[in-house]
Amino acid sequence: MRSNSQFVVGTAKALGLLAALFAVLGCAAERVEPLVESEEPAGGVMADYPWYTSTAELVRASTLVIEGRVTGSWDDEVDLRIDPGGDDPEADPCVGVPNCEGEEGLEPVRIVEVEVSRIWSGAEVHRVLVYTPRGTAGDGPDLTIGADYLLFLAGDASVAHPLNPDQGAYRVEGDSYLPTSEANTVAVEIDELTG
């Protein structure tokens, strides 16, 4: 059994690694303030990520806004360390984290394949691979194979990720978009999707 301090350090490392992944992706998405804290249930670890208050903010922060059907998913690990031993936390998430130097930088992710049916914003794409972290306080949305979603993404078609764990995905139900997270209270406004 892991102690609380090991859990906190492990989760801090995972979040640092996820931050490095976002930096590696060349995410040019605009950060919309304010940042809010999200809390894992049952007193878990706190994480900071951008929180958006409107559809327009979600679109502005995304490099890709699409609708599509999930056609497959699988679990994998990605190596997030670009410059082990350096002093830049974006290139080496171990900077400032005790007992991290020996880690390989592998982060568990779920990769979800999405066949695109509509592009609201961003490059013309037909298929997108959406990467979401696993085993951290910032796990991404669970996307079901065969279901249709509206996705607010950063990255590109080969490596994209939801803007944040709570607001990056909406389930498409007829003409409605339903948040996949109970924490997300932003209703999607069609006129704000089209600009």
Side-chain angles (χ1 to χ4, degrees), residues 7-19 80 93-94 97-101 103 107 136:
F7 178 75
V8 170
V9 169
T11 301
K13 288 183 349 188
L15 291 173
L17 294 172
L18 181 60
L80 302 178
C94 283
V97 178
N99 303 319
C100 180
E101 289 75 20
E103 299 291 327
E107 176 70 20
T136 72

Side-chain angles (χ1 to χ4, degrees), residues 7 9-10 18 21 27 35 49 53 80-81 92 103-105 115-116 120 137-138 140-141 154-155 162 171 175 191 195:
F7 178 75
V9 169
L18 181 60
L21 172 64
C27 175
L35 292 179
Y49 50 82
T53 59
L80 302 178
R81 295 183 73 188
D92 183 0
E103 299 291 327
E104 292 182 12
E115 290 296 325
V116 178
W120 288 100
R171 180 120 183 197
D175 292 334
D191 60 331

Side-chain angles (χ1 to χ4, degrees), residues 55 59 62-68 116-125 149-152 172 175 177 188-195:
T55 305
V59 171
S62 301
T63 56
L64 193 57
V65 180
I66 60 166
E67 280 182 49
V116 178
S117 58
R118 184 173 195 170
I119 301 167
W120 288 100
S121 177
E124 182 74 27
V125 294
Y149 294 93
L150 169 67
L151 300 171
F152 294 93
V172 177
D175 292 334
Y177 300 105
V188 170
E189 301 292 335
I190 297 293
D191 60 331
E192 292 181 344
L193 278 175
T194 58

Side-chain angles (χ1 to χ4, degrees), residues 7 39-46:
F7 178 75
E39 184 175 344
E40 274 293 288
V45 175
M46 304 290 277

Side-chain angles (χ1 to χ4, degrees), residues 40-170:
E40 274 293 288
V45 175
M46 304 290 277
D48 289 336
Y49 50 82
W51 191 261
Y52 308 96
T53 59
S54 69
T55 305
E57 286 181 357
L58 286 164
V59 171
R60 211 173 23 254
S62 301
T63 56
L64 193 57
V65 180
I66 60 166
E67 280 182 49
R69 176 162 291 168
V70 174
T71 57
S73 69
W74 59 95
D75 292 329
D76 203 349
E77 291 184 328
V78 294
D79 189 352
L80 302 178
R81 295 183 73 188
I82 312 169
D83 181 20
D87 59 0
D88 179 2
E90 289 187 5
D92 183 0
C94 283
V95 171
V97 178
N99 303 319
C100 180
E101 289 75 20
E103 299 291 327
E104 292 182 12
L106 295 177
E107 176 70 20
V109 295
R110 170 143 314 130
I111 303 170
V112 178
E113 181 178 49
V114 178
E115 290 296 325
V116 178
S117 58
R118 184 173 195 170
I119 301 167
W120 288 100
S121 177
E124 182 74 27
V125 294
H126 302 287
R127 181 181 76 110
V128 175
L129 295 179
V130 179
Y131 285 62
T132 59
R134 288 294 175 239
T136 72
D139 278 4
D142 286 322
L143 305 177
T144 305
I145 293 175
D148 295 316
Y149 294 93
L150 169 67
L151 300 171
F152 294 93
L153 304 169
D156 60 33
S158 62
V159 181
H161 59 85
L163 288 182
N164 72 37
D166 293 315
Q167 296 181 296
Y170 288 74

